[in-house]
Amino acid sequence: MKIVTAGTGMAAAEFVEQLRLEGFAGEIVMVGDEDCPPYSPCVIPFYLAGEPLDTVYWKGKDFYEKYRVTARLGEPVVQVDQVRQIIHTADGTREDYDRLFFATGSHSWYPRPEWLGIKGVFGFKTLSDMMAIDRYLREEQVSEAVVFGGGFIGVDAALALQTRGLRVSLVHRNTRLLSQMTDEEGGRFATLRLAEKTGMDIRLRTTVEDISHSNGQLTAVRLSDGREIATPLLILSVGVTPNSVPLQGDDKGVLSNEQMLADPSIYTAGDVAVTRHAVNGTSGVYANYPNAMRQARVAARHLLHGDGSYDGSINTTVLRKHIDFPVISAGDFSGEAITYQQGDIWRRVYLVDGMINGYLIIGDTRLSGYLYQHYKDRTRVDGTIRKTISSPRHDGQYREMLGFAAA
Ligand SMILES: Cc1cc2nc3c(=O)[nH]c(=O)nc-3n(C[C@H](O)[C@H](O)[C@H](O)COP(=O)(O)OP(=O)(O)OC[C@H]3O[C@@H](n4cnc5c(N)ncnc54)[C@H](O)[C@@H]3O)c2cc1C
């Protein structure tokens, strides 16, 4: 049997590794649009912040040799012929397959794609983006930057650049940073504390409307409030879109069943896959690393053994990079809200029918495993949760587990 992957990212690397570890000895071809070993996008901001490049190659730089893979790199897949079981690449060549693993992830969405033609304007999504920014910082001695987009990736970008020594302005259209992973009050708390801790210039309810350049070099950005910021560097991190066009002609993501199959000979996983939420059952793209790993393993197992099924995705988000101020959330922010705040720590749990419907923890990670487990397992916690999250020593979960009686 010949197995082909479209994509050489986290899901594809995990899938291939599982196949080989479980004894698959047949032919594997990986086709990717970037020319590099598999890397972790989660780690690439650390590289930009100053860590060595090799730390991004999460399964080793020798991945293709180690797992006996024919790698076709720098060749974007442009079309999948599902009937004849052939993929077509941009240079006009083709690759037939018995089974295809379609894991092309997502790409940045750009409000004005033509801005990328101006020197000093970059996306923040791929290793190629990071290397281009790194080169630019070294060559041009850049000391300040504007990041447009204050979601998870934009905040990651701003913190990485600041760690690298730049002065950063962060421009975000919403009322708070991290708006998709926080509720209003928690997001405002996180934004305020991030501003205090980093000294970053944060502009909310604002967008980048236009840019100025001289001889093709960025000189300034103009904001929606009319003000201008002089800068030689603009990072665009406004949103991402699934790379599902080559398979189905649209960018809505690839619908998979519980075996991660999109059709009888095509598996899918990762940021391009549409899956069911493990708790609320809603279909969607749940783009994070743990979901991608579990989906890839289910696909490999099913391909080799014909069994196993995916138990659903969780929309967990963990921002914990560059500074000691984590923001962690999961689930839906609706139901009865129970909140605790002390100093830099802010915790909120939403309860529905006595069970956790969603949670948000800021400034502290100690309860994240506990809340995640109870959220996923649908445990009733209404009798204890208030005490657990408001333990002044932050060890309420251990005391509860050990059976401590209320004082
Ligand atoms: C800056 C950044 C930070 C992140 N931080 C975190 C984090 O802290 N925690 C977390 O859980 N998640 C994080 N994520 C998300 C996480 O990286 C993804 O969920 C994960 O990588 C998904 O794996 P994937 O294989 O679907 O996609 P990717 O790892 O992005 O791989 C997709 C692959 O497909 C290739 N490709 C795309 N189009 C084509 C095409 N047409 N033909 C051939 N190949 C193609 C790409 O080059 C790439 O090799 C972060 C993402 C980014 C960008």
Side-chain angles (χ1 to χ4, degrees):
M1 183 191 292
K2 177 178 172 185
I3 298 172
V4 174
T5 74
T8 57
M10 295 196 91
E14 180 69 17
F15 173 75
V16 166
E17 183 179 60
Q18 288 301 314
L19 291 180
R20 289 300 192 215
L21 290 178
E22 295 236 10
F24 177 73
E27 183 180 5
I28 301 179
V29 179
M30 297 181 82
V31 185
D33 63 353
E34 284 188 277
D35 188 1
C36 55
Y39 65 85
S40 166
C42 315
V43 176
I44 53 179
F46 289 110
Y47 157 62
L48 192 64
E51 301 268 339
L53 174 61
D54 280 5
T55 55
V56 308
Y57 301 118
W58 68 307
K59 289 186 187 288
K61 271 180 101 171
D62 60 347
F63 182 86
Y64 302 121
E65 301 83 57
K66 186 174 172 190
Y67 293 107
R68 306 185 310 284
V69 168
T70 303
R72 290 185 51 181
L73 304 176
E75 292 190 49
V77 174
V78 290
Q79 201 201 342
V80 179
D81 181 339
Q82 297 181 48
V83 177
R84 294 161 67 207
Q85 299 195 183
I86 293 171
I87 61 169
H88 297 270
T89 60
D91 64 2
T93 58
R94 49 173 64 189
E95 190 76 48
D96 59 23
Y97 64 85
D98 296 310
R99 294 288 181 278
L100 175 65
F101 183 74
F102 191 85
T104 47
S106 60
H107 64 272
S108 294
W109 176 83
Y110 296 114
R112 300 270 293 275
E114 68 274 16
W115 288 353
L116 291 169
I118 302 298
K119 191 173 174 192
V121 183
F122 300 91
F124 198 86
K125 180 73 177 66
T126 64
L127 183 56
S128 314
D129 290 335
M130 298 305 137
M131 291 173 130
I133 299 168
D134 179 60
R135 205 175 313 120
Y136 182 68
L137 293 181
R138 286 176 199 281
E139 285 171 2
E140 306 292 330
Q141 306 293 313
V142 176
S143 60
E144 52 205 31
V146 172
V147 175
F148 179 24
F152 180 87
I153 292 178
V155 171
D156 201 343
L159 293 172
L161 289 169
Q162 198 174 53
T163 306
R164 179 85 178 243
L166 277 75
R167 279 190 307 282
V168 179
S169 298
L170 181 51
V171 178
H172 189 51
R173 73 167 65 234
N174 210 297
T175 51
R176 62 194 192 274
L177 299 178
L178 304 168
S179 27
Q180 283 186 6
M181 65 177 286
T182 62
D183 63 7
E184 186 69 38
E185 207 186 329
R188 281 170 188 261
F189 179 87
T191 305
L192 203 70
R193 287 291 196 273
L194 277 168
E196 283 167 9
K197 286 175 184 296
T198 62
M200 210 178 273
D201 168 32
I202 298 173
R203 315 277 180 109
L204 298 171
R205 295 191 190 86
T206 310
T207 59
V208 172
E209 287 292 287
D210 211 347
I211 62 173
S212 306
H213 52 94
S214 168
N215 297 324
Q217 162 73 58
L218 179 76
T219 53
V221 299
R222 186 165 57 73
L223 305 181
S224 52
D225 61 10
R227 282 183 283 185
E228 218 178 60
I229 306 178
T231 183
L233 174 59
L234 171 63
I235 302 288
L236 299 170
S237 56
V238 192
V240 293
T241 307
N243 287 323
S244 50
V245 170
L247 183 61
Q248 60 190 33
D250 65 44
D251 60 7
K252 293 183 180 149
V254 179
L255 188 61
S256 66
N257 69 9
E258 290 190 344
Q259 284 68 49
M260 299 312 305
L261 280 163
D263 96 352
S265 55
I266 302 179
Y267 291 90
T268 189
D271 292 2
V272 76
V274 174
T275 59
R276 196 182 44 78
H277 193 280
V279 174
N280 64 32
T282 311
S283 282
V285 173
Y286 299 103
N288 65 36
Y289 150 74
N291 290 334
M293 294 305 93
R294 291 191 299 115
Q295 293 162 6
R297 286 181 212 131
V298 167
R301 174 161 191 86
H302 188 261
L303 191 156
L304 290 178
H305 307 295
D307 64 10
S309 63
Y310 185 55
D311 59 359
S313 299
I314 298 277
N315 59 329
T316 37
T317 317
V318 181
L319 181 80
R320 195 187 175 186
K321 295 180 192 168
H322 316 296
I323 60 165
D324 186 20
F325 185 68
V327 181
I328 301 172
S329 71
D332 295 327
F333 300 138
S334 61
E336 182 197 353
I338 299 172
T339 312
Y340 170 80
Q341 198 225 312
Q342 189 190 58
D344 275 356
I345 296 174
W346 194 97
R347 301 168 176 158
R348 177 169 286 171
V349 173
Y350 285 95
L351 294 184
V352 170
D353 297 332
M355 293 175 282
I356 298 173
N357 193 42
Y359 61 87
L360 174 57
I361 316 170
I362 299 168
D364 177 31
T365 57
R366 278 171 283 191
L367 280 178
S368 60
Y370 176 87
L371 294 177
Y372 177 82
Q373 211 54 49
H374 285 292
Y375 168 61
K376 197 162 176 283
D377 293 350
R378 315 307 301 131
T379 328
R380 275 202 83 119
V381 295
D382 43 344
T384 53
I385 194 69
R386 190 177 298 275
K387 185 162 153 268
T388 303
I389 69 163
S390 58
S391 159
R393 286 191 299 268
H394 316 298
D395 62 354
Q397 77 275 25
Y398 299 117
R399 295 169 75 83
E400 184 197 321
M401 272 175 353
L402 295 171
F404 269 79

